[in-house]
């Protein structure tokens, strides 16, 4: 497999995105979920062509993106998507909020599963619902799983929806089809909605393929709504395009109730880039997955050699590593210590869940092997005065 090489630091520091403008030049920025790989050529060409023809007006709506996604989902994900059951919007977070507003009433409980992508906490409250935490079972040593009994108990207590992260950010777990089907059965018993954030789905490694929630059963299709995007897999988050996907009359009614402006929030460049990604980005994505596989294994080796007290489980999906840094003695928020003493920026663990995130941090390994090596070397040098 032809790997896609990440760009070197001197080129990356010319970028103006948040990852490269949030820290001083002496910091290695590894917190934000942006990849350091060059843009896929079909996407770049489509955007350049659009600029040359001054095609910078409003997007034409969901249909073209939905049809491109239909082909991508069928060939890469084993997912039969009906383009008529897709409504686009600006991004996954916006889609989650708008769907939650349709399927809950103010004050209703919404289940999330820490450690979890930090904006989930804000998205639930933005929708006027109430957060109900059901932490993941297990951990780094034995692996994680959804607490299905805990989730059902939350629904029995009155929660009306759940935001499922499939695959799971930050731990990189890919729930299997049986687990997702069991979750769907629970949702059906309690007549609740599973809002499935599946933006990292195409970034699952081939050995652990991701299962789209809406494919697992009739119950999942009836009680699930999926929200996805090309943004993470193809590194185009700033272009603003996402898809809300349904597979039942019940789900269609939710989409139909979305405000008119939700669809118009999709960016024109986001739509153009998404179509190019879904239609012609497969070879590039395969190369990125191969490079990410190399890096997740390299990270394991680097930690074993230089920071053996740090606990890490190789993720099965995403380019994000959930690290337990507790033994380093860097406090509840070791990312803060790492930024000050090692000049390495990591995502702050407690933001993923105040209790389960304590002593943890998230690291983005979608970078060159040299940057990853340098980051672990810096962390090891910062740790040595503390552990000696």
């Amino acid at each position: 497999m032809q790997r896609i090489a990440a760009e070197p630091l001197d080129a990356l520091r010319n970028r103006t995105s948040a990852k490269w403008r949030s820290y001083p030049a002496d910091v290695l920025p590894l917190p934000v979920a942006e990849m350091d790989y060059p843009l896929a050529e079909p996407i770049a060409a489509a955007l350049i062509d659009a600029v040359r023809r001054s095609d910078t007006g409003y997007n034409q709506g969901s249909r073209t993106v939905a049809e491109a996604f239909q082909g991508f989902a069928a060939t890469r994900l084993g997912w039969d998507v009906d383009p008529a059951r897709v409504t686009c919007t600006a991004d996954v977070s916006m889609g989650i909020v708008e769907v939650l507003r349709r399927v809950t009433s103010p004050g209703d409980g919404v289940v999330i599963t820490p450690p979890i992508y930090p904006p989930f906490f804000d998205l639930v409250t933005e929708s006027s619902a109430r957060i109900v935490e059901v932490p993941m079972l297990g951990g780094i040593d034995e692996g994680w799983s959804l607490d299905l009994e805990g989730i059902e108990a939350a629904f029995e207590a009155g929660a009306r929806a759940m935001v499922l992260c499939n695959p799971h950010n930050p731990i990189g777990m890919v729930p299997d089809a049986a687990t997702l089907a069991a979750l769907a059965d629970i949702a059906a018993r309690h007549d609740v909605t599973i809002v499935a954030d599946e933006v990292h789905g195409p970034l699952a490694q081939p050995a652990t393929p991701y299962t789209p929630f809406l494919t697992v059963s009739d119950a999942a299709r009836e009680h699930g709504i999926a929200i996805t995007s090309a943004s993470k897999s193809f590194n185009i988050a700033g272009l603003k395009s996402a898809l809300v996907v349904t597979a039942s009359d019940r789900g269609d009614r939710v989409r139909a109730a979305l405000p008119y402006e939700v669809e118009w929030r999709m960016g024109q460049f986001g739509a153009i880039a998404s179509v190019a990604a879904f239609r012609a980005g497969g070879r590039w994505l395969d190369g990125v997955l191969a490079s990410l596989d190399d890096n997740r294994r390299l990270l394991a080796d680097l930690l074993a050699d230089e920071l053996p007290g740090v606990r890490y489980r190789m993720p099965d999906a995403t380019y994000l590593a959930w690290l337990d840094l507790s033994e380093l003695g860097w406090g509840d928020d070791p990312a803060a210590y790492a930024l000050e003493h090692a000049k390495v920026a990591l995502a702050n663990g407690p933001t993923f869940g105040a209790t389960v995130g304590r002593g943890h941090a998230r690291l983005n390994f979608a970078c060159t092997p040299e940057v990853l090596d340098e980051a672990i070397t810096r962390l090891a040098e910062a740790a040595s005065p503390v552990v000696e």
Side-chain angles (χ1 to χ4, degrees):
M1 173 57 60
Q2 181 69 42
R3 268 73 172 158
I4 301 296
E7 294 187 307
L9 274 175
D10 58 349
L12 292 165
R13 293 198 186 279
N14 291 321
R15 295 185 182 182
T16 62
S17 61
K19 182 175 181 180
W20 297 101
R21 288 295 182 266
S22 298
Y23 303 96
D26 61 345
V27 171
L28 291 179
L30 304 177
V32 181
E34 298 177 19
M35 296 192 286
D36 294 350
Y37 302 106
L39 196 62
E41 183 55 36
I43 299 175
L47 293 171
I48 291 167
D49 287 348
V51 170
R52 285 177 174 160
R53 64 176 180 264
S54 300
D55 194 2
T56 55
Y58 293 110
N59 77 80
Q60 62 176 311
S62 301
R63 188 73 189 194
T64 302
V65 176
E67 289 177 348
F69 182 67
Q70 178 189 36
F72 178 85
T75 57
R76 289 196 69 101
L77 310 176
W79 184 4
D80 183 15
V81 172
D82 181 351
R85 285 179 150 165
V86 173
T87 299
C88 289
T89 190
D91 56 42
V92 169
S93 290
M94 186 174 294
I96 290 171
V97 170
E98 294 297 343
V99 169
L100 286 177
R101 285 173 172 161
R102 311 280 87 76
V103 301
T104 64
S105 298
D108 281 349
V110 174
V111 173
I112 60 174
T113 55
I116 197 68
Y117 178 55
F120 278 16
F121 293 92
D122 296 325
L123 302 179
V124 171
T125 55
E126 183 181 344
S127 72
S128 299
R130 172 176 50 84
I131 296 164
V132 179
E133 295 187 34
V134 181
M136 299 295 292
L137 296 175
I140 287 174
D141 293 333
E142 66 273 36
W144 290 273
S145 62
L146 290 169
D147 181 358
L148 295 176
E149 291 185 3
I151 292 167
E152 181 150 30
F155 291 150
E156 288 173 347
R160 299 301 305 148
M162 172 183 173
V163 183
L164 169 71
C165 200
N166 174 34
H168 195 100
N169 172 9
I171 59 180
M173 182 203 73
V174 182
D176 61 28
T179 297
L180 295 175
L183 177 62
D185 288 343
I186 293 169
R189 282 198 292 274
H190 298 279
D191 193 28
V192 301
T193 304
I194 306 298
V195 184
D197 173 353
E198 308 205 336
V199 70
H200 287 282
L203 288 169
Q205 288 293 332
T208 51
Y210 132 85
T211 302
F213 183 70
L214 297 184
T215 68
V216 298
S217 67
D218 288 341
R221 287 181 280 277
E222 180 71 13
H223 292 273
I225 297 175
I227 307 177
T228 190
S229 173
S231 59
K232 295 302 181 190
S233 301
F234 293 95
N235 215 38
I236 56 171
L239 300 184
K240 296 302 180 184
S241 176
L243 305 90
V244 180
V245 185
T246 57
S248 67
D249 292 345
R250 184 179 188 273
D252 292 345
R253 288 192 292 273
V254 174
R255 278 191 310 100
L258 294 173
Y260 173 77
E261 283 295 325
V262 167
E263 187 174 29
W264 283 100
R265 291 170 187 160
M266 177 172 58
Q268 170 73 333
F269 280 5
I272 290 168
S274 295
V275 170
F278 292 142
R279 288 181 176 169
R283 184 180 298 274
W284 180 92
L285 182 56
D286 288 337
V288 164
L289 284 168
S291 294
L292 294 177
D293 185 28
D294 292 342
N295 275 8
R296 66 177 181 156
R297 297 176 190 279
L298 174 61
L299 178 57
D301 292 340
L302 291 170
L303 291 172
D305 290 343
E306 300 188 49
L307 282 168
V310 173
R311 296 165 64 237
Y312 158 67
R313 185 180 188 87
M314 275 200 309
D316 292 323
T318 81
Y319 45 83
L320 305 167
W322 185 240
L323 305 178
D324 183 352
L325 304 166
S326 302
E327 289 194 16
L328 300 183
W330 291 358
D332 288 349
D333 187 7
Y337 187 97
L339 180 60
E340 179 179 358
H341 296 278
K343 302 299 182 184
V344 175
L346 306 173
N348 305 86
T351 64
F352 294 80
T355 300
V356 296
R358 189 177 300 141
H360 291 67
R362 193 190 71 180
L363 179 149
N364 176 347
F365 57 81
C367 56
T368 65
E370 293 77 15
V371 166
L372 191 56
D373 191 349
E374 173 66 14
I376 301 308
T377 296
R378 290 189 187 189
L379 293 173
E381 289 174 351
S384 57
V386 178
V387 299
E388 284 180 353

